[in-house]
Structures are given as C-alpha cells and as structure tokens.
C-alpha cells in the first residue's frame, strides 16, 4: 500500500521541528521556509521542509531552496507577528 503524505498545519510543522508556531511564521517570511497558502491557511509538505532544513537554509537564512519548488507567501504575513 502506498502511503500518502498529507499537508501539515503550522502547529504540526512546529512540533515536527521542535519550534514555536511564531517561529514557523517568521521562518516562512524571513528565511523562505517552503510553505503553501491554501485559502487563508499555511500548509507544509514534510519532505520539502526536511530538504529545506538539510540544505542549511534554516541555519543561514539564505535562499538556498529552489524557488521553483515553493510558493512564496505574500509580505502580508509579515504584519501578523510584527509588533506595533
């Protein structure tokens, strides 16, 4: 039987990486963590995230993950966690 992977929520990906949800939102905006917008929700592919972490992009903050593999999240997300 083929195991189907499902899209993970912010809470699930934060748990998977051992980080807080706010950190996940910041990484999407500032470190280009691969995420896909489904309606108003962010969804994550576990394999893309694992590859992104292995590439070193999480550590360096550089765009090392190919843009063709991910959909960039609009800058509007930035205001969700910016104080003021």
């Amino acid at each position: 039987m083929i195991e189907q992977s499902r899209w993970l929520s912010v809470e699930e990906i934060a748990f998977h990486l051992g980080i807080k949800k706010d950190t996940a939102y910041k990484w999407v905006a500032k470190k280009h963590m691969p995420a896909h917008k489904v309606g108003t929700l962010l969804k994550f592919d576990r394999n893309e995230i694992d590859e992104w972490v292995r590439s070193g992009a999480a550590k360096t903050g550089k765009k090392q993950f190919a843009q063709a593999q991910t959909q960039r999240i609009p800058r509007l997300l930035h205001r969700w966690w910016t104080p003021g």
Side-chain angles (χ1 to χ4, degrees):
M1 175 181 257
I2 297 174
E3 182 180 321
Q4 292 183 347
S5 63
R6 64 179 187 84
W7 294 99
L8 302 178
S9 67
V10 175
E11 293 84 6
E12 291 169 318
I13 206 65
F15 179 79
H16 176 66
L17 294 174
I19 60 174
K20 294 182 180 182
K21 289 188 319 183
D22 288 345
T23 301
Y25 285 117
K26 288 177 186 177
W27 286 3
V28 168
K30 294 183 180 182
K31 295 189 178 195
H32 306 286
M33 182 171 151
H36 302 270
K37 192 149 180 162
V38 179
T40 60
L41 304 174
L42 287 178
K43 294 294 182 176
F44 302 87
D45 180 302
R46 184 182 312 226
N47 294 328
E48 280 184 343
I49 296 299
D50 290 343
E51 185 179 336
W52 177 78
V53 170
R54 284 187 200 100
S55 76
K59 189 175 183 180
T60 64
K62 294 180 182 176
K63 285 187 185 182
Q64 295 179 359
F65 199 79
Q67 287 187 355
Q69 291 181 308
T70 63
Q71 173 184 347
R72 298 293 170 225
I73 305 304
R75 285 267 183 215
L76 294 174
L77 287 175
H78 182 70
R79 69 179 179 182
W80 289 357
W81 55 81
T82 303

